Structure formats: C-alpha cells, structure tokens
Amino acid sequence: MQSGETTMSQDGRKRISLYIIIVAMVIVLSSGLTVYITQSSSSQFSSGFSGTKRSSANNEDYKHYGIFAGYDVCKEAIINGANGQVMVIESDDRTAHYRGYNDTNVITFSAEVKPNAIPFLSEQRSTYHVSVRCATSAKDNQLVNLSWLTTDTYGVQ
C-alpha cells in the first residue's frame, strides 16, 4: 500500500511541478510581451506627441513650449491690458492645458482690478474680480489671445 501512495504522491508532485512551470512560463511570457509592447508604443507615442513636430513652412523640427512657459507673457499682458490697476493676480494651474487643434497653451488667471477713476479704499470696496483666459503659442511662446470675463457682479466698475 505504501508503494501505491508513493506513486500517487509522485504523480501529484509531478502535476503540481508541471502547473508551477506552466504558470511561471505564462507570467514570464506575458511580462516580456507587456514590456515589448509598452516600449514600442511609448516610442511611437513620444515621437508623435512629445514635441518634435514638423513645421509646414520649412519642415524644421521644433520643440513645443510647456504649458506654463507662457505664464510671464500672460501675466504681463493682463497687467498691461487691464482697465485699471491690477491689485492681485493668480493663476489657476488646474485649468492649464494644451490645445492641439490650434497649437496653443492656455492658462486661466483670476485678478482683482481697481479702476483708475476711483481711489483705493480697500480690496472689497475698490476692486472688481475678473477671470482671464490666456492663450500663448506652443511654437514660439507669443501671446495669441486674452479672453476677459468679469465675474464680480457686486464689485466696483
């Protein structure tokens, strides 16, 4: 009876060893395939979207400016374009994004503006709130557009 038990236990061990080998081969094969696909798709992805694009005018490579590269350009344009003195300005970094259809980077700013016609009493009594969406070119970091929206209906105007 013992020889039958040892034969069964050897067969069971062989099966378990075979299952372990098959599982290990599946894991190694799927991992290798995943790494290969990831590397080939990431190189295609990075070459298609990373910033090396062809200019239609002279077929030269150019690198896209980052989303926040136009921060200072936008800030200066808002200060110069405000209808009064900008008392407070801050960017909402959560809304910053790249627009591929017109190759621009967009940042939204919030500002408190004091009109030139009135003296400054306090921020609550002398300013109005404005939201400004600023778009800069991703190609040359130049100002493309400023969109002004006054959102403070009770503020001084």
Side-chain angles (χ1 to χ4, degrees):
M1 219 179 194
Q2 289 181 350
S3 66
E5 289 178 9
T6 57
T7 308
M8 284 251 266
S9 64
Q10 287 178 352
D11 287 341
R13 288 182 189 160
K14 286 182 182 179
R15 265 194 213 136
I16 291 174
S17 299
L18 183 64
Y19 289 146
I20 290 174
I21 291 171
I22 290 173
V23 167
M25 287 176 47
V26 167
I27 290 173
V28 168
L29 188 67
S30 66
S31 298
L33 190 60
T34 301
V35 168
Y36 174 75
I37 290 173
T38 304
Q39 287 179 348
S40 66
S41 67
S42 70
S43 66
Q44 290 172 359
F45 179 78
S46 64
S47 68
F49 296 106
S50 71
T52 45
K53 296 212 176 199
R54 296 269 178 198
S55 171
S56 60
N58 54 8
N59 283 342
E60 293 180 9
D61 288 339
Y62 75 93
K63 182 161 175 51
H64 282 278
Y65 279 88
I67 293 173
F68 297 104
Y71 178 85
D72 291 330
V73 174
C74 291
K75 189 174 174 181
E76 183 179 335
I78 292 168
I79 290 170
N80 293 336
N83 189 17
Q85 181 183 3
V86 176
M87 303 303 285
V88 178
I89 186 169
E90 59 185 18
S91 67
D92 184 1
D93 296 342
R94 298 170 296 169
T95 62
H97 62 280
Y98 169 74
R99 288 186 179 161
Y101 66 88
N102 62 356
D103 202 23
T104 58
N105 295 317
V106 179
I107 304 174
T108 303
F109 288 84
S110 296
E112 293 291 329
V113 180
K114 180 193 81 66
N116 290 329
I118 63 169
F120 183 74
L121 302 173
S122 70
E123 189 173 325
Q124 290 78 21
R125 295 179 57 205
S126 302
T127 63
Y128 63 95
H129 182 82
V130 63
S131 292
V132 183
R133 182 171 290 146
C134 178
T136 57
S137 172
K139 185 175 182 179
D140 58 9
N141 205 30
Q142 298 295 316
L143 182 67
V144 174
N145 187 23
L146 282 178
S147 301
W148 297 80
L149 175 65
T150 303
T151 56
D152 190 2
T153 55
Y154 299 109
V156 177
Q157 297 218 7

